[in-house]
């Protein structure tokens, strides 16, 4: 610690002068203890005074220039600290002026100022936010609605609003522990967002925290230990965790929280401790003091043998342990960074053995809320099943896993259970999805965020009363209709499947009633809606809604609520748009995702919509509109063009056998802009050149061409003929089927050039051969594995709708629509890659990859989006019926092949030789028999593990797997084009009548099988069933060896892609010597331009699955584990040791040498120990003058280098280092 300020700051006064002739210092000694002793300075009193003045001047100079870090034990610490703090300290009474230019940025042209917009209603609630409730007082809470913070009084329902300041909305809210300040962390589109801190009583802007993240904030929390600290968590793309001294707007610490979505940050019960959670992780942080200062250090939680899970709810126990929820219904007890035990529901009837007798998981579904009741010693959990459950902390503390038997589960007895809402509630018919709970200060009122019913519940723990505070859409609002006949009435529909009627003329409690369809709980939502015209419903109280499952429903609004008039299902896919015609024809049209348009005749309310038929469009239709003049439909296409589709004529419709219609349609061609002068000149030059070539013989036949009179459309000018400029409107229309010679006009030539440009771009694209024409895209959440959440989509709005409905980050990748198929099945190649060093890059490739097949044959039309067709993940396919049986087409169990089987297939498909010599075709070297393993035993063990997973709701059920790819499952039979719409009641639909056209369409199995696939797998023809030609012996040198396409095409491409992918990230990898990493590369194969197979990289997996899932993976996993040890252990001891099936990839990549300079702002750290002088070395007593001289030498190293330095000078420096 530094010396007291008065001792260090004030230089001592000179001592009283000594008597004449007396030695220096004797006079001071006579004064006694009150006189400070001074060191004897050679030169007398004048030298002492001179040195004292010099020290004072030097001290002033140091105080002006030094910082806190340079303060030594003899410096004036308090004064230096005050001087440093004065640089960034903000007065406590300071507030921002709301009229300052900083808070009022310059508006763009025609942009309304915020003062010109007065918000009167905010009737929605954002349930996509995990925690969107914040108590601001005992009776008031706040929540976020887009760019506005809404404050609502629980008793009076009165609301007030606070508008955000940045342009990206609001990310998070927080209240200080003393409830005096409100933090609003915002998002921004154009600039870096800020955190605005308001004085809550006056709502005056108090502080602004700037440049803490790039795009927006996900969470903000005030510290309960330090009143000036706040933790702020950024969202995509940087995920920065920062700690601020918010009262002085000073950033203290910041660090990247994680590489994927981080959802929440909380302070721990001990000072300087924080915890962050998110997608697939939990991380424990501490503010630690290191050699270089205060640091933010985070330890990532390790799940170990427990299943990886997203974490949203957690709580810290009094002893420092942490209890967290999971997405599969278990409670995890964390001790340090490891999972100590998995907490399960114990059987209370078992008594003391309840921890062994398990009654299932604590919850059915995800657990998003964990709280603690310290007074009663209970942990409270809430989740997707709608239950709140109380668990004793003492049993949780005693929980221990049975590591000897590999059992992590431990049973605890539930003390209490409450369903939200209670059974028989009049406000909601489904159990709540408890997303978040916040308690009032007196803990007498809990606010519960219910993401399923769209309700914020007020729960009283003492009385058990549960009442709704808010009731609104829980997902995206997809439609709103304002009634023109009933002022204030608004009808809205949303992706939560509800239709709601509100009265916006009243100030609060706007909702009158809503229709909660039974489909709401099965993720079926409303995508569009339209109001019936006055000619159909004079009262204008009828609306028709389209749903994601292809159903349309008509409702009539009366005093009792929404009455269902009719339910039909005209489509199998999502209904994108629904609209009534506004003329006397009374037609209703629906547009589906599959580009089919169904027409209905609307007659009356009782018999609302009578199906007429559908028109299947061959192009991608985005939207449509009724033409009020002709009554036809105007279709907006994806390519930017328009089509006019003729309306159906009722008298000519015959739908007794089929609903398919053949209506006329034509292109609506807008007038193209006139060509500029440069284009005209080019056309004139081309025309003159052509005339010169063709008219060379003209004079001989008919005289000089110049003597001819000008033709129509030409004029004489300066002795030359000049063509007149023709307008596009004067051109005659050309049929699309006309020959090229007819396309001579300006507009026709423009279209021809556009078409040729597109064809040239297609030729340049290497991926054109695999892209297909269905515009299919694969969308998957970035933080999930095992095929969870993967969907195939074809519409941009569908992709946005899916990604916006969840708070996670998504990956959108072009779907390979034309992959290589094996006997009609889609497949990929799982290739293991081992990286043992990044500098130099050392990569090994596993010589025995394997193929993974889809469970059903591929449908090239993409009309069926079943997971079993498009996904090859074993975690998905294993739930399909017949997975463990031998597939007749593939002649394999578990839908996997060894590499050798694929080589044989390639040879049989591509080789055209008359005689086949194939020494490279050999049986798989490693099978279950190789390791003495019976697959039946391995399958039985794997089945037990799968059963456990099913009990824990971990894996998808067979029914669920049919639904996750698309809202319309493959098991739902035809109501698409070619089938009739089905009339339905609330819960069931009628059967459909299929058409002859549908019967003539080949099945997906027939259409997807390649023509060159072997037709008779059981035939005998040497090694290859179905191979044409003669097979000779492998040692017959008179015949050339056939080409092994695996070695010549696929394997080299894979190695090239592997090296390119690794070198693209080598600069960003933090690698430690002596550590390795195993990757799982997934490749697909397509037809190359040369007619041979070509490999394409799909994705790279870290920590790939290495389990005994099939008879193929069982021996390969056993072998790769043995060979891993050979590479990591044997090869280091002996460079000539065998690496098994691992083969080193040779490449030309050379690492870029690291720069030796230091970036600006780098923190340098010196590690080592003090050097001691050798014995006998002469030490010199250091004086102030010598130290000053040495400092000057250190400031000018160039001058010191030029001068000679002897041993004496070195000794002097060593003395200084030792003294320092």
């Amino acid at each position: 610690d530094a010396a007291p300020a008065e001792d260090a700051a004030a230089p001592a006064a000179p001592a009283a002068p000594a008597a004449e002739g007396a030695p220096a210092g004797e006079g001071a000694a006579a004064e006694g203890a009150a006189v400070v002793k001074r060191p004897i300075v050679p030169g007398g009193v004048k030298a002492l005074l001179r040195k004292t003045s010099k020290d004072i001047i030097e001290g002033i100079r140091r105080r002006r220039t030094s910082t806190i870090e340079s303060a030594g034990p003899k410096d004036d610490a308090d004064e230096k600290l005050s001087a440093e703090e004065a640089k960034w300290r903000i007065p406590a009474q300071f507030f921002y002026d709301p009229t300052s230019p900083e808070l009022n940025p310059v508006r763009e042209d025609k942009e309304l100022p915020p003062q010109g917009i007065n918000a009167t209603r905010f009737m929605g609630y954002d349930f996509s936010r995990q925690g969107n409730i914040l108590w601001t007082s005992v009776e008031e809470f706040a929540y976020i609605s887009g760019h506005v913070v809404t404050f609502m009084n629980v008793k009076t329902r009165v609301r007030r609003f606070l508008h955000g300041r940045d342009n990206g909305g609001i990310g998070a809210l927080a209240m200080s522990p003393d409830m005096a300040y409100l933090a609003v962390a915002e998002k921004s589109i154009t600039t870096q967002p800020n955190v605005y801190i308001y004085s809550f009583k006056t709502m005056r802007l108090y502080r602004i925290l700037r440049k803490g993240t790039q795009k927006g904030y996900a969470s903000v929390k005030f510290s309960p230990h330090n009143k000036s600290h706040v933790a702020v968590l950024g969202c995509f793309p940087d995920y920065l965790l920062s700690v601020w001294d918010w009262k002085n707007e000073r950033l203290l610490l910041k660090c990247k929280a994680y590489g994927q979505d981080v959802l929440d940050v909380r302070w721990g019960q001990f000072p300087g401790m924080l915890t962050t959670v998110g997608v697939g992780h939990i991380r424990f942080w501490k503010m630690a003091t290191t050699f270089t200062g205060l640091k933010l250090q985070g330890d990532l939680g390790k799940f170990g043998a427990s299943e990886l899970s997203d974490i949203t709810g957690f709580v810290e126990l009094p002893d420092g342990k942490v209890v967290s929820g999971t997405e599969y219904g278990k409670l995890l007890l964390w001790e340090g960074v490891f999972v100590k035990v998995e907490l399960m529901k114990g059987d209370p009837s078992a008594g003391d053995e309840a921890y062994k007798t398990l009654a299932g998981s604590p919850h059915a579904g995800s657990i998003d809320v964990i709280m603690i009741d310290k007074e009663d010693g209970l942990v409270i959990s809430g989740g997707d099943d709608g239950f709140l459950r109380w668990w004793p902390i003492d049993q949780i503390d005693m929980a221990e896993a049975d590591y000897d038997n590999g059992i992590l589960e431990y049973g605890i007895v539930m003390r209490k259970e409450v369903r939200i809402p209670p059974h028989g509630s009049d406000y909601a018919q489904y159990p709540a999805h408890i997303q978040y709970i916040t308690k009032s200060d007196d803990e007498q009122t809990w606010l519960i965020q219910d993401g399923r019913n769209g309700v914020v519940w007020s729960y009283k723990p003492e009385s058990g009363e549960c009442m709704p505070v808010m009731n609104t859409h829980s997902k995206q609002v997809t439609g709103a209709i304002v009634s023109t006949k009933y002022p204030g009435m608004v009808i809205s529909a949303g992706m939560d499947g509800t239709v709601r009627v509100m009265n916006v003329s009243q100030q609060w409690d706007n909702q009158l009633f809503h229709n909660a369809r039974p489909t709401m709980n099965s993720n079926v939502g409303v995508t569009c809606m339209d109001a019936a015209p006055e000619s159909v419903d004079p009262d204008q109280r009828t609306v028709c809604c389209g749903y994601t499952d292809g159903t349309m429903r008509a409702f009539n609004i009366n005093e009792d609520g929404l009455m269902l008039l009719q339910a039909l299902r005209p489509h199998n896919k999502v209904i994108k748009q629904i609209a009534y015609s506004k003329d006397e024809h009374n037609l209703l049209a629906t547009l589906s995702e599959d580009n089919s348009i169904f027409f209905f005749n609307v007659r009356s309310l009782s018999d609302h919509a009578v199906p007429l038929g559908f028109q299947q469009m061959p192009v991608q239709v985005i939207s449509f509109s009724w033409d009020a003049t002709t009554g036809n439909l105007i279709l907006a296409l994806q390519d930017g063009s328009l089509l006019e589709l003729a309306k159906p004529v009722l008298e000519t419709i015959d739908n007794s056998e089929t609903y398919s219609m053949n209506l006329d349609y034509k292109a609506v061609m807008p007038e193209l802009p006139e060509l500029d002068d440069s284009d005209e000149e080019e056309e004139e030059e081309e025309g003159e050149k052509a005339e010169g070539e063709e008219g060379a013989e003209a004079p001989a036949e008919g005289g000089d061409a110049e003597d001819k009179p000008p033709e129509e459309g030409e004029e004489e000018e300066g002795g030359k003929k000049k063509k007149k400029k023709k307008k596009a409107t004067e051109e005659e229309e050309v049929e699309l089927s006309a020959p090229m010679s007819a396309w001579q006009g300006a507009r026709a030539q423009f279209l021809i050039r556009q078409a040729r440009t597109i064809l040239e771009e297609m030729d340049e694209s290497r991926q054109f051969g695999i892209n297909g024409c269905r515009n299919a895209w694969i969308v998957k959440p970035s933080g999930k594995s095992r095929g969870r959440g993967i969907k195939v989509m074809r519409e941009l709005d569908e992709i946005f709708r899916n990604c916006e409905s969840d708070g996670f980050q998504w990956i959108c990748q072009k779907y390979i629509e034309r992959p290589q198929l094996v006997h009609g099945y889609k497949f990929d190649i799982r290739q293991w890659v081992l990286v043992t060093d990044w500098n130099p890059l050392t990569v090994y490739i596993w010589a025995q990859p394997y193929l993974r097949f889809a469970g059903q044959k591929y449908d090239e039309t993409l009309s069926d989006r079943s997971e079993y067709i498009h996904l090859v993940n074993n975690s998905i396919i294993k739930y399909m019926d017949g997975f463990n049986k031998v597939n007749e087409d593939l002649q394999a169990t578990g839908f996997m092949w060894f590499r050798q089987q694929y080589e044989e297939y390639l040879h049989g498909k591509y080789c055209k030789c008359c005689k086949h010599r194939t020494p490279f075709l050999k049986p798989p070297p490693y099978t279950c028999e190789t390791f003495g393993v019976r697959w039946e035993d391995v399958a039985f063990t794997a089945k037990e593990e799968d059963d456990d997973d099913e009990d824990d709701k971990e894996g998808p059920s067979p029914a669920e797997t049919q639904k996750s790819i698309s809202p319309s499952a493959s098991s739902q039979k035809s109501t698409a084009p070619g089938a009739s719409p089905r009339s339905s009641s609330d819960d069931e639909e009628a059967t459909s009548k299929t058409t002859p056209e549908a019967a003539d369409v080949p099945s997906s199995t027939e259409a997807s099988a390649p023509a060159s696939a072997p037709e008779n797998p059981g035939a005998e023809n040497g090694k290859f069933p179905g191979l044409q030609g003669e097979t000779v012996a492998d040692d017959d040198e008179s015949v050339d060896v056939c080409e092994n396409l695996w070695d010549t095409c696929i394997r080299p491409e894979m190695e090239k892609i592997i090296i390119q992918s690794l070198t693209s990230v080598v600069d960003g990898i933090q690698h430690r010597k002596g550590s390795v990493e195993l990757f799982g590369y997934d490749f697909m194969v397509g037809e190359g331009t040369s007619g041979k197979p070509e490999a394409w990289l799909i994705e790279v997996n870290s920590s790939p699955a290495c389990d005994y899932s099939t008879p193929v993976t069982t021996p390969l996993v056993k072998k790769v584990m043995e060979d891993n040890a050979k590479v990591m252990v044997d090869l280091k001891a002996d460079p000539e040791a065998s690496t098994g099936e691992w083969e080193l990839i040779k490449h030309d990549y050379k690492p870029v040498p690291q720069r030796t300079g230091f970036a600006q702002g780098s923190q340098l750290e010196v590690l080592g120990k003090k050097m001691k002088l050798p014995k006998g070395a002469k030490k010199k007593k250091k004086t102030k003058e010598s130290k000053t001289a040495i400092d000057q030498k250190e400031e000018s190293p160039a001058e010191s280098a030029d001068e000679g330095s002897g041993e004496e000078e070195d000794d002097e420096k060593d003395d200084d280092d030792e003294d320092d």
Side-chain angles (χ1 to χ4, degrees), residues 100 184 639 909 1084 1198:
S100 63
V184 181
D639 60 359
K909 178 179 180 180
M1084 289 185 67

Side-chain angles (χ1 to χ4, degrees), residues 133-384:
I133 317 174
L134 176 69
W135 282 104
T136 57
S137 66
V138 179
E139 296 181 352
E140 187 183 55
F141 70 93
Y143 60 91
I144 300 172
S145 296
H147 66 289
V148 173
V149 181
T150 304
F151 302 91
M152 177 177 176
N153 190 292
V154 179
K155 295 182 178 180
T156 64
R157 299 294 196 270
V158 176
R159 294 172 175 86
R160 55 194 182 101
F161 310 103
L162 174 66
H163 288 261
R165 296 180 177 272
D166 295 338
N167 57 11
I170 298 175
L173 302 173
M175 285 292 294
S176 61
D178 57 1
M179 308 297 282
Y181 298 96
L182 171 69
V184 181
E186 302 202 15
K187 299 180 180 180
S188 179
I189 301 174
T190 57
T191 60
Q192 287 185 274
N194 300 324
V195 179
Y196 299 94
I197 300 178
Y198 299 84
S199 174
F200 185 67
K201 286 186 177 181
T202 61
M203 281 300 170
R204 296 176 62 190
L205 183 58
Y206 188 59
R207 295 292 182 265
I208 302 177
L209 309 183
R210 301 172 177 85
K211 298 183 179 180
T213 188
Q214 294 184 24
K215 297 295 184 181
Y217 293 98
S219 181
V220 56
K221 295 291 189 299
F222 285 94
S223 172
H225 313 290
N226 191 319
K227 294 182 178 180
S228 62
H229 284 182
V230 65
V232 187
L233 180 64
C235 54
F236 176 81
D238 51 4
Y239 306 113
L240 280 181
L241 173 63
S242 54
V243 179
W244 295 75
D245 173 11
W246 64 270
K247 291 186 176 180
N248 296 295
E249 299 182 357
R250 191 163 63 108
L251 178 62
L252 301 178
L253 300 167
K254 70 176 181 179
C255 183
K256 187 178 182 65
Y258 196 61
Q260 296 178 358
D261 291 332
V262 188
L263 306 178
D264 193 14
V265 58
R266 299 184 199 172
W267 291 90
Q269 60 181 339
F270 303 108
M273 309 295 289
L274 300 101
T275 305
T276 57
V277 294
V279 175
H281 80 283
I282 181 172
R283 198 162 193 178
F284 307 98
W285 300 85
K286 63 179 179 180
M287 298 167 59
T289 303
T290 65
F291 182 80
T292 57
L294 194 63
K295 300 292 182 183
L296 198 58
Q297 298 177 345
D299 296 324
L300 195 63
K302 297 175 174 57
F303 285 85
S306 299
E307 186 65 40
L308 188 70
S309 172
D310 302 340
I311 296 179
T312 54
F314 68 96
V315 69
E316 187 176 359
L317 301 180
D319 60 353
K321 297 187 184 71
V322 173
V323 178
S324 73
T326 61
E327 56 184 322
Y328 45 82
K330 290 184 179 180
L331 293 172
L332 302 182
L333 178 62
W334 297 83
E335 188 172 25
V337 297
F338 298 97
V339 175
K340 180 181 180 182
V341 69
E342 297 177 353
L343 300 175
M344 304 289 290
K345 186 190 299 183
D347 187 0
S349 61
D352 296 337
E353 299 294 325
Y355 71 95
K356 295 182 180 179
T357 309
L358 306 181
S361 298
H363 288 270
S366 63
I367 302 176
D368 298 326
V369 174
I370 306 288
M371 301 185 299
I372 188 171
D373 185 353
K374 294 184 179 180
E375 293 184 0
D376 297 333
L378 297 172
V379 169
I380 308 168
S381 63
D384 186 58

Side-chain angles (χ1 to χ4, degrees), residues 973-1158:
K973 296 294 173 75
S974 61
T975 52
S980 68
R982 297 179 286 182
S983 178
S984 65
S985 62
D986 288 356
D987 297 321
E988 62 182 21
E989 314 284 351
T991 58
S992 64
K993 57 180 179 180
T994 57
T995 66
E997 288 81 356
D1000 295 336
V1001 177
S1003 65
S1004 61
T1005 301
E1006 296 172 353
S1008 59
S1012 58
E1015 298 293 333
N1016 52 345
E1020 296 182 359
N1021 184 12
K1023 298 180 181 179
F1024 327 110
L1027 182 65
Q1028 302 297 326
E1030 178 185 354
T1031 302
V1032 301
D1034 294 341
D1035 56 357
D1036 188 355
E1037 298 182 357
S1038 62
V1039 179
D1040 293 336
V1041 177
C1042 296
E1043 181 182 8
N1044 184 1
L1045 293 176
W1046 176 267
D1047 288 340
T1048 59
C1049 296
I1050 299 179
R1051 170 72 180 265
E1053 281 289 330
M1054 291 169 59
E1055 291 185 358
K1056 180 181 177 182
I1057 292 173
I1058 290 170
I1059 295 300
Q1060 289 177 344
S1061 64
L1062 294 176
T1063 54
S1064 67
V1065 299
V1066 67
D1067 294 334
I1069 296 294
Q1070 295 181 358
H1071 179 65
R1072 298 186 302 271
K1073 291 291 184 179
S1075 62
V1076 301
E1077 185 158 4
L1078 179 67
F1079 296 102
Y1081 277 71
D1082 291 339
F1083 294 93
M1084 289 185 67
V1085 180
E1087 298 295 335
T1089 55
S1090 62
K1092 295 182 180 181
E1094 189 174 24
W1096 294 92
L1097 175 64
I1098 303 303
E1099 64 181 6
V1100 184
N1101 300 276
S1102 60
S1103 304
C1106 293
D1107 51 354
Y1108 303 149
S1109 56
T1110 67
V1112 173
T1113 57
T1114 299
L1116 295 182
V1117 169
K1118 289 180 176 292
K1119 178 60 178 173
V1120 76
M1121 292 304 171
E1122 294 180 1
D1123 292 350
N1124 284 346
K1126 295 179 180 179
V1127 174
M1128 292 185 287
V1129 180
D1130 298 349
L1131 196 62
K1132 289 186 176 181
D1134 181 10
E1136 302 297 329
S1138 172
T1139 57
E1141 295 293 336
W1142 286 114
E1143 299 178 1
L1144 183 65
I1145 301 180
K1146 297 181 180 180
H1147 58 86
D1148 299 330
Y1149 175 76
K1150 295 181 180 180
V1152 179
Q1154 300 294 326
R1155 298 182 61 180
T1156 57
F1158 295 95

